[in-house]
Amino acid sequence: MKNVIDIDGHKAVVSLDPEIGMIRGEFLGLSGGADFYARSVDDLIVEGRKSLKVFLEMCAEKGISPFREFSGRFNVRLAAEVHEAAVLAAAAENKSLNEWVADAIEAAARAA
């Protein structure tokens, strides 16, 4: 994946914050925000571990789940023409629109 690092089994998206000249990391899949900054990738990983530790400790203190739960459902809004094209493409593959979209998302996620 581009711009994603793994810190102790947890994924974080990485970007450059040009205003402060630092690399920013933000954990994905958490029930709240846990971001961290550093000037190098090695330091970013160190700061990420610290940020995650603090976040998990705060969640434990407050008795809340630190990880976001995913239902497997979400709504997508498309232009009417794109919706129609997707329905036709799904039918051409003898799939429901849901199956076709799920397959397309899975393929894109694996390629990322």
Side-chain angles (χ1 to χ4, degrees):
M1 285 190 166
K2 296 180 181 178
N3 301 325
V4 175
I5 59 173
D6 186 289
I7 298 176
D8 299 334
H10 300 281
K11 304 286 187 208
V13 66
V14 176
S15 60
L16 174 66
D17 186 331
E19 290 183 19
I20 61 174
M22 295 181 82
I23 306 168
R24 177 180 185 265
E26 182 178 8
F27 284 104
L28 305 170
L30 299 181
S31 59
D35 60 348
F36 46 100
Y37 293 83
R39 296 203 182 276
S40 73
V41 174
D42 289 338
D43 289 343
L44 190 69
I45 291 169
V46 170
E47 292 302 316
R49 284 188 176 118
K50 290 178 190 176
S51 177
L52 184 61
K53 181 181 178 201
V54 168
F55 179 79
L56 294 175
E57 287 172 353
M58 288 178 60
C59 288
E61 287 174 14
K62 294 179 179 183
I64 59 174
S65 173
F67 302 104
R68 184 174 165 204
E69 294 183 25
F70 294 93
S71 68
R73 293 176 176 231
F74 69 99
N75 294 319
V76 178
R77 301 209 190 308
L78 303 169
E81 309 82 46
V82 175
H83 186 178
E84 180 183 15
V87 168
L88 294 172
E93 293 183 28
N94 199 29
K95 294 181 180 179
S96 69
L97 180 58
N98 188 73
E99 290 172 315
W100 187 82
V101 169
D103 289 348
I105 290 172
E106 184 177 347
R110 287 182 186 204

